[in-house]
Amino acid sequence: MQKVPLFENQPLAPLTTWKIGGPAQFLAAPQDLEEVYALMRLAYGRGWPLFFLGRGSNVLISDAGLPGLTLHLAKSLQKIERHGETLRAGAGVALPRLARAAAALGFSGFEFLAGIPGTVGAAVRLNAGAEGRNLADVLRRVWVATPRLQLMEFQAGELGLGYRSSLLLHFPHWLVAEAEFMLQTPAPTAAIEEKMRQLLAARKARFPANPRSCGSVFKNPGAGPAAGLLIDQAGFKGRRLGEAQVSRKHANFILNQGQATAAQIKGLIAEIQETIWRNEGVALEREVVFLPEDLE
Ligand SMILES: Cc1cc2nc3c(=O)[nH]c(=O)nc-3n(C[C@H](O)[C@H](O)[C@H](O)COP(=O)(O)OP(=O)(O)OC[C@H]3O[C@@H](n4cnc5c(N)ncnc54)[C@H](O)[C@@H]3O)c2cc1C
């Protein structure tokens, strides 16, 4: 196998939706699983920290960047294949593409993914969802590449999928390589596409126009008002720290209004968490992942 090119000191901000963060010490974009293993072997052999990055829509990369090796997966593992009544998708497949593929085959149930700007691999890890549905509703199995260079297969029921959580969150060095989804609800393609258009229009009306965000910063608490409402009621809409600003439209979004830094975003997050804890006794849990901190 040819050596996978490694790029040194590569900016990561352009690879994230927030457009924030310092460089990767080394960056590589493996095309297939064999290349993933080769890069894992290299990183572990040299004692480098190893990070995975999909479409960067749920991460805050520190201003200092990431040490070691970052695998950029947004253009990797792009296979979508139908196997009977299931659809298999590689880790790097974008969720809207998965939704369109299911629609083209005449299967409903995936429409909620049309507006989520992430990849299959990251979405499985967090059980991504929208409009009252989540990945667990359609997921059947996943294949995970472990640091021991083994491919492990899990049934969806073994993953402990809950609201924006799964057991995979406890294994940040496991790479979700492929996922298999159930094609269970036949429907006319045109009707599914119309439903997706409506969902996208509804999201556009609810969410801020500035695309430089990570979506919802916090998970909704288990009971009581949604995180956005708590943050709104605490008066945070429009609050700025440098060029980081809590959206005036949806208080669970923090926007990069120019050259915001990770430190500014973290400052706002900490202020919100402290205030909501003091006022409401609610500990808001982050949905967004801090890299490298959350993996250390
Ligand atoms: C405008 C906007 C709207 C959003 N709306 C929603 C929504 O409605 N519902 C929702 O659930 N989310 C939403 N999100 C958040 C985000 O899109 C999802 O969490 C998505 O699943 C993240 O995918 P990603 O590829 O961008 O992951 P990244 O941000 O690249 O990575 C997220 C985490 O997953 C890890 N990771 C990445 N790939 C893999 C892999 N193959 N195996 C293991 N770990 C991996 C990374 O290391 C990181 O820790 C939104 C984000 C934005 C910007």
Side-chain angles (χ1 to χ4, degrees):
M1 189 186 68
Q2 282 221 317
K3 265 181 130 183
V4 192
L6 282 193
F7 299 95
E8 199 170 351
N9 198 27
Q10 286 299 301
L12 288 171
L15 307 183
T16 71
T17 49
W18 246 330
K19 307 296 176 210
I20 290 175
Q25 186 181 356
F26 294 105
L27 183 70
Q31 286 314 300
D32 53 30
L33 205 50
E34 218 180 306
E35 292 193 354
V36 167
Y37 284 139
L39 290 162
M40 281 181 160
R41 217 175 284 126
L42 175 75
Y44 292 124
R46 303 226 176 148
W48 291 344
L50 182 64
F51 299 95
F52 310 135
L53 188 63
R55 296 175 80 85
S57 63
N58 198 35
V59 286
L60 181 64
I61 292 174
S62 86
D63 295 315
L66 299 181
L69 177 60
T70 300
L71 304 191
H72 187 219
L73 302 165
K75 293 186 181 147
S76 319
L77 305 165
Q78 288 293 323
K79 181 181 82 175
I80 299 189
E81 274 175 9
R82 181 174 183 176
H83 291 257
E85 295 310 294
T86 68
L87 196 57
R88 286 196 199 162
V93 169
L95 298 170
R97 186 177 152 223
L98 179 66
R100 287 195 301 272
L105 291 169
F107 285 93
S108 175
F110 295 77
E111 296 87 325
F112 71 100
L113 297 173
I116 307 181
T119 55
V120 163
V124 166
R125 193 178 160 270
L126 202 66
N127 191 20
E131 334 300 337
R133 290 179 61 80
N134 53 54
L135 226 57
D137 297 331
V138 283
L139 189 65
R140 183 159 183 263
R141 298 190 271 185
V142 301
W143 288 267
V144 173
T146 73
R148 298 174 71 183
L149 309 184
Q150 288 172 328
L151 195 64
M152 290 173 64
E153 180 185 321
F154 294 96
Q155 300 297 316
E158 296 176 291
L159 294 175
L161 297 164
Y163 167 66
R164 300 298 174 273
S165 75
S166 83
L167 295 176
L168 295 171
L169 293 178
H170 299 289
F171 300 94
H173 299 294
W174 288 10
L175 182 142
V176 176
E178 194 169 313
E180 185 179 60
F181 300 94
M182 296 174 289
L183 297 170
Q184 29 190 15
T185 316
T189 297
I192 302 169
E193 285 174 348
E194 176 53 27
K195 193 169 162 196
M196 288 199 284
R197 264 192 296 278
Q198 286 173 8
L199 287 178
L200 288 173
R203 284 174 71 92
K204 199 171 167 200
R206 267 197 332 268
F207 295 163
N210 180 350
R212 294 179 168 210
S213 79
C214 73
S216 294
V217 171
F218 300 102
K219 298 183 186 185
N220 287 322
L229 186 58
L230 289 173
I231 300 166
D232 183 4
Q233 285 170 346
F236 276 102
K237 272 191 172 169
R239 178 77 59 91
R240 279 184 93 109
L241 188 56
E243 297 199 85
Q245 184 176 35
V246 177
S247 164
R248 292 184 191 281
K249 196 165 181 184
H250 191 314
N252 202 4
F253 280 56
I254 297 180
L255 307 173
N256 175 2
Q257 298 289 28
Q259 301 298 318
T261 62
Q264 289 166 352
I265 301 268
K266 286 174 191 168
L268 269 183
I269 288 176
E271 201 185 333
I272 290 169
Q273 283 175 317
E274 269 175 47
T275 306
I276 303 297
W277 171 251
R278 233 182 310 110
N279 293 358
E280 308 287 338
V282 174
L284 283 183
E285 192 187 336
R286 262 191 289 118
E287 182 170 322
V288 66
V289 180
F290 286 178
L291 293 181
E293 298 91 320
D294 288 352
L295 263 66
E296 281 169 348

